[in-house]
Amino acid sequence: MKIGNGAPDCIGGFSNTFAYKGFDLSVFMKFSIGNDVYNATKHSMSPYAAFQNVPTEFGDNYYRLIDPSTGQKATSLDRISELNPNEGLRTWSLSKTNFSYITYPSSYYVEDGSYLRIAQVTLGYTLPKAWLQKFWISNARLYFTANNLATITGYSGYDPEVSSGNDQVVCTPGYDSSTYPRSRSYVAGFNLTF
């Protein structure tokens, strides 16, 4: 059963440059609308998987496989039933199939991956030509660039712009399996033209 689509309905970007006297400001933003992200990182913290951390959003309402009195995995169906009094239909056996069933992917982990990212901002200043002629320089510009400044999104993971795969050829867009977020970077520079 299909529960999401990693391909966005619309992607795009826009940029603008402002100038005043010797100053210039360039801003580039990009966006994605209508894509879903399967948050496998959140899934890996599922309370249904043995020996996993449980996010606070689950409170005390989750299926328990770990016996709180021993701190170990429950080893009998009777004890699992005691730990989960309202989950009788889900307690069939202690087989591997049962454990994998309760950790299956769920629509609970599918989130809207739409975002607006301030991808690059550059502020520059071009020195006046009158100052430069004395040194036989035709143009001089100082600039500062910031990359990946901010991302506006409702996605609960680190970065909604994810793609995961087991090799460099095959990737799965919209699948977040503890993907490292894009880093912010800063560049300062000085351009001279003689």
Side-chain angles (χ1 to χ4, degrees):
M1 179 173 146
K2 184 178 174 181
I3 58 174
N5 188 349
D9 297 331
C10 177
I11 59 172
F14 47 93
S15 64
N16 206 341
T17 301
F18 308 92
Y20 178 74
K21 296 190 178 179
F23 291 95
D24 60 271
L25 175 67
S26 177
V27 179
F28 171 64
M29 292 188 266
K30 64 185 204 175
F31 63 88
S32 175
I33 299 171
N35 59 301
D36 295 314
V37 175
Y38 187 82
N39 193 340
T41 306
K42 190 175 185 180
H43 183 197
S44 70
M45 295 187 295
S46 166
Y48 304 121
F51 308 111
Q52 296 292 332
N53 293 321
V54 180
T56 56
E57 64 194 81
F58 285 97
D60 289 330
N61 186 22
Y62 60 89
Y63 191 87
R64 290 166 175 79
L65 294 174
I66 305 301
D67 190 332
S69 63
T70 64
Q72 300 296 317
K73 185 167 46 173
T75 56
S76 73
L77 289 175
D78 290 335
R79 184 59 180 146
I80 291 176
S81 294
E82 289 172 15
L83 294 172
N84 304 284
N86 299 322
E87 295 283 348
L89 295 175
R90 293 179 68 175
T91 309
W92 311 288
S93 69
L94 291 174
S95 71
K96 189 172 183 179
T97 304
N98 184 32
F99 283 118
S100 60
Y101 174 79
I102 59 178
T103 60
Y104 274 171
S106 163
S107 60
Y108 174 77
Y109 304 108
V110 177
E111 300 181 36
D112 181 15
S114 301
Y115 68 88
L116 172 65
R117 181 175 309 229
I118 303 172
Q120 189 174 71
V121 176
T122 301
L123 176 64
Y125 178 69
T126 302
L127 297 171
K129 302 276 186 193
W131 296 2
L132 303 174
Q133 290 174 351
K134 300 174 188 176
F135 304 102
W136 301 284
I137 298 173
S138 62
N139 193 39
R141 180 175 175 265
L142 299 159
Y143 68 90
F144 178 78
T145 299
N147 295 299
N148 195 27
L149 273 182
T151 303
I152 301 166
T153 183
Y155 179 61
S156 68
Y158 290 122
D159 190 345
E161 194 176 2
V162 293
S163 182
S164 183
N166 57 4
D167 58 42
Q168 295 176 352
V169 177
V170 179
C171 287
T172 306
Y175 186 81
D176 185 2
S177 179
S178 302
T179 305
Y180 197 78
R182 283 164 175 70
S183 60
R184 186 173 295 142
S185 65
Y186 304 98
V187 177
F190 187 54
N191 295 333
L192 285 176
T193 305
F194 294 94

